[in-house]
Amino acid sequence: MNPWWQSAVIYQIYVRSFADTNGDGVGDLGGVRSRLPYLRELGVDGVWLTPFYRSPMRDGGYDITDHRDVDPMFGTLADFDALLADAHALGLRLIVDLVPNHTSDTHPWFSSPHRRERYIFRPGRGDGPPNDWESVFGGPAWSKDPHSDDWYLHLFDASQPDLDWDDPAVRQEYAAVLRFWLDRGVDGVRIDVAHGLVKAPGLPDAGHAGQDHRGGILPYFDQDDVHEVYRDWRKILDSYPGERIGIAEAWAPTADRLANYTRPDELHQAFNFPFLLSPWRAEAVRAVIDQTMRTNPAPTWVLSNHDVQRHVTRLGSLDRARGATLLMLALPGSAYLYQGEELGLPEVLDLPDGARQDPTWRRSQGREPGRDGCRVPMPWTGEAPAFGFSASAATWLPIPPDWRPLSVQAQRTPDSTLTMYRRALHIRRRMTGPLHWQDAPDGVLAFTRAALTCTTNLTDRDVDVVPPGALLLASTVLAAARPTGAVCLPPGATAWWH
Ligand code: GLC
Ligand code: CA
C-alpha cells in the first residue's frame, strides 16, 4: 500500500477565520475542534493549521514570538492537545506550520545579546541599505537597526527579521521546535518559505528592481545549501513512528529545482504553485500536469490558499472554479484544499481600507490590496453579520452580507458546490492508476485513470463530447443527451465518467 500522504486530501484551515468559540470575533482552536465532524463528513484526510503560536499578529501569525506556545487569542496548549486527540479519533491527520525563515521582532532572541549571530545584520552602503534586495511585501528588504548603525534583513515585513542559518544555535533551535510538535503527535509540518533560509554567500545584489518572488532566480531564494536543512529534518521525521511528513512551501525557477525539495532523503511534498498559477487554457494546464508528473512521482495539487486570490475570482467564474476543482481531484497524487473553497467563496474585493490587516497593503502604500480578501471568516449558518462564525457581530474582518446563500447550512442542497465537493471526495477514494491522456476536441482535456475518465471544457463555448461511460459526477448540470448520443459540456465544466 502507498503511504497515506501520497493520495491524501488535506484541508487548510486559516485558524483566525474558521470558527470562533469565545465570541471575540476571531477564530480559535476550540472552533476548529468543534467543526471536525464537518471536515470528517466533507471527506478530507487531514487538516493543516496555519500558525496559532504566540505572535503580535503583524503578519497573521507568521511572525512568531514563541514557537512552542499557543497565542491566548487562539487558546492554550491544552486546547491544541484536545484538538489533536479529537482529530485522530475521527481518523483525521493534523499538520502544523513551521516558520523557520524569520521570527517576530518580539522574539526574545531579537533583543538578546546573541541577536547579531542569530539574525542578519550588515552595515549600509552610503546612506542606503546593504544591498538591493526587495521585501516580498514591497519596499526594501532591510531596515535600520534601532540599536546600532547597521541594518537588519527581513524578506517579509520589517517586524519579521530573517534568521541567520549559518548560526548552529538557529539550526538546533528549529530541530528542537520540530521535535516539540512531533512529540505532541502531529502528523507533519508545512514549512513556510522553505526556499528562503539560506542566502547566497556575501549577500550579492539581485541586480535589478521588481524582483520576481514567485520563481525568479534570486540570491536569497532556492540556494543549493538549503537542502542540507531538509536532509536533517527528514532524519528527524523518520525517527518518529507513523509516517510523519514535511511539506515545502517553496518557489523555484524550474520544475526540476522544485523537485529537489522532494528528493527521497528530503521532504515528502512541495506545493505545486505552477499548477495554481496556470492560465485557464488546455495546453497550459496540460503542460503543467505533464511537467509535474515528469519531475515528481508523488505530486501535489492546489488551487487556493491564504496567500492568493480565491480561484473562483482568479479563474473568472464559479463554473470554471468548480470545473477546475473536479479536474484537480481526479489527478493522481495529493490535493490541498483551502477552507471555504468547498462553498465556492469568491475573493472579497471590496473590504473597507480600514479593515485591511495584511502588511502588503501597508508596505505597498495601498498599491497592493493584499491577502485579506481570501481570509474573510467562514459563513456557517443563518444570517449576517456573523453567519454562525462568531457570537460577535464584530468579526475581525467583515463578512459580506450577501453570503447567506453560500453558508454551509444553505448549501445542504443537491446541486450546491459543497455537495459537489463531498461527492467528489467520496468518489476520489476509489480512484487508482496512472493518468493517460485521451484524444479530445480543441480546448478540451480528457484523461483516464483505470476505468475513470475525466473531461474538462476549458473553452468559452459549449462543446459536444461522446460520453466514454456512465456519468458519475459533473461540475454543472449537463444538458440532456442529444440525438447523436453526444453530451454538451458547457464552458468550464468537468465531468467524471465510469
Ligand atoms: C508564507 C506564508 C505567508 C506569510 C509569509 C511570511 O508565504 O504562506 O502567509 O506571509 O510566508 O511568513
Ligand atoms: Ca475566538
Side-chain angles (χ1 to χ4, degrees):
M1 226 182 73
N2 289 338
W4 68 271
W5 48 271
Q6 289 191 356
S7 56
V9 176
I10 307 288
Y11 183 96
Q12 179 192 354
I13 294 188
Y14 195 70
V15 180
R16 250 202 310 186
S17 300
F18 195 59
D20 169 25
T21 47
N22 66 345
D24 63 356
V26 180
D28 42 52
L29 294 180
V32 176
R33 188 176 172 206
S34 72
R35 299 290 181 181
L36 289 175
Y38 166 77
L39 298 175
R40 170 78 219 198
E41 194 194 334
L42 179 61
V44 299
D45 301 293
V47 167
W48 148 36
L49 301 178
T50 54
F52 49 81
Y53 314 109
R54 275 196 190 261
S55 165
M57 300 296 282
R58 297 290 300 269
D59 180 24
Y62 283 95
D63 48 326
I64 299 174
T65 316
D66 182 352
H67 217 319
R68 292 181 181 79
D69 201 6
V70 174
D71 195 279
M73 168 187 281
F74 297 121
T76 62
L77 275 176
D79 292 332
F80 176 82
D81 291 339
L83 161 60
L84 180 59
D86 278 13
H88 283 169
L90 286 170
L92 295 167
R93 313 265 177 173
L94 192 91
I95 290 167
V96 297
D97 225 302
L98 193 68
V99 186
N101 182 67
H102 45 263
T103 68
S104 163
D105 59 358
T106 62
H107 189 286
W109 275 0
F110 200 61
S111 46
S112 81
H114 296 294
R115 60 198 300 264
R116 302 190 63 94
E117 300 128 57
R118 306 274 196 273
Y119 299 91
I120 302 178
F121 288 89
R122 292 289 184 280
R125 243 181 346 204
D127 291 340
N131 67 24
D132 68 356
W133 296 3
E134 293 170 352
S135 158
V136 175
F137 293 162
W142 298 89
S143 289
K144 268 313 250 298
D145 176 17
H147 306 290
S148 72
D149 288 338
D150 288 347
W151 298 66
Y152 67 92
L153 177 68
H154 54 84
L155 292 181
F156 294 88
D157 191 47
S159 69
Q160 293 166 295
D162 276 52
L163 288 159
D164 187 344
W165 276 78
D166 286 338
D167 180 12
V170 170
R171 294 189 183 235
Q172 267 163 32
E173 168 67 3
Y174 274 88
V177 168
L178 175 58
R179 288 181 188 281
F180 178 89
W181 293 100
L182 291 170
D183 286 339
R184 291 200 107 78
V186 302
D187 299 286
V189 287
R190 174 263 188 194
I191 297 150
D192 190 62
V193 201
H195 56 312
L197 279 45
V198 172
K199 279 78 181 174
L203 313 186
D205 277 336
H208 62 282
Q211 293 156 23
D212 171 14
H213 294 120
R214 293 181 162 182
I217 298 181
L218 293 166
Y220 45 87
F221 281 154
D222 192 41
Q223 301 297 303
D224 289 339
D225 288 346
V226 80
H227 295 283
E228 203 183 302
V229 176
Y230 304 123
R231 285 191 281 268
D232 286 348
W233 290 4
R234 179 58 179 256
K235 289 185 200 120
I236 296 176
L237 290 164
D238 284 349
S239 72
Y240 282 79
E243 285 266 334
R244 315 285 181 105
I245 66 165
I247 306 115
E249 183 218 12
W251 297 84
T254 65
D256 291 293
R257 287 202 64 94
L258 183 61
N260 287 343
Y261 292 81
T262 52
R263 287 178 285 201
D265 60 345
E266 295 196 36
L267 300 169
H268 300 74
Q269 298 182 328
F271 291 113
N272 190 342
F273 296 129
F275 178 72
L276 182 154
L277 294 177
S278 171
W280 185 249
R281 279 188 291 108
E283 327 77 74
V285 172
R286 179 171 169 160
V288 171
I289 294 172
D290 283 340
Q291 168 186 285
T292 302
M293 309 292 295
R294 178 179 63 74
T295 51
N296 194 334
T300 67
W301 310 99
V302 63
L303 288 166
S304 278
N305 66 34
H306 66 299
D307 291 330
V308 299
Q309 195 173 64
R310 283 187 176 276
H311 69 280
V312 167
T313 306
R314 194 179 68 242
L315 295 176
S317 71
L318 180 60
D319 287 339
R320 281 185 183 178
R322 287 173 56 143
T325 295
L326 286 196
L327 167 67
M328 170 174 85
L329 291 176
L331 294 168
S334 161
Y336 280 79
L337 306 180
Y338 177 51
Q339 70 180 44
E341 68 168 83
E342 77 277 23
L343 306 177
L345 297 186
E347 185 84 359
V348 180
L349 298 169
D350 58 354
L351 283 169
D353 289 352
R356 293 189 188 276
Q357 299 207 8
D358 183 355
T360 311
W361 164 253
R362 190 170 23 86
R363 288 189 61 88
S364 71
Q365 274 126 24
R367 279 189 305 275
E368 296 284 334
R371 301 161 295 175
D372 294 305
C374 65
R375 300 174 175 181
V376 168
M378 283 274 287
W380 290 97
T381 57
E383 304 292 332
F387 293 106
F389 162 73
S390 172
S392 164
T395 56
W396 77 275
L397 285 175
I399 308 178
D402 62 358
W403 273 13
R404 188 177 190 285
L406 296 178
S407 77
V408 170
Q409 182 187 40
Q411 293 202 42
R412 297 203 176 271
T413 54
D415 295 327
S416 72
T417 304
L418 178 57
T419 301
M420 183 198 84
Y421 269 77
R422 277 207 192 104
R423 293 180 58 200
L425 292 172
H426 185 77
I427 296 170
R428 189 187 140 87
R429 292 190 178 280
R430 303 196 304 268
M431 285 183 198
T432 52
L435 174 154
H436 295 289
W437 293 110
Q438 305 296 321
D439 288 341
D442 266 359
V444 172
L445 289 181
F447 62 85
T448 55
R449 288 186 63 199
L452 176 108
T453 305
C454 174
T455 316
T456 305
N457 177 2
L458 292 98
T459 74
D460 287 325
R461 49 189 163 74
D462 290 347
V463 176
D464 285 355
V465 295
V466 182
L471 187 67
L472 270 179
L473 182 63
S475 62
T476 185
V477 181
L478 298 187
R482 309 198 170 188
T484 56
V487 170
C488 168
L489 265 192
T494 292
W496 290 358
W497 326 82
H498 191 71

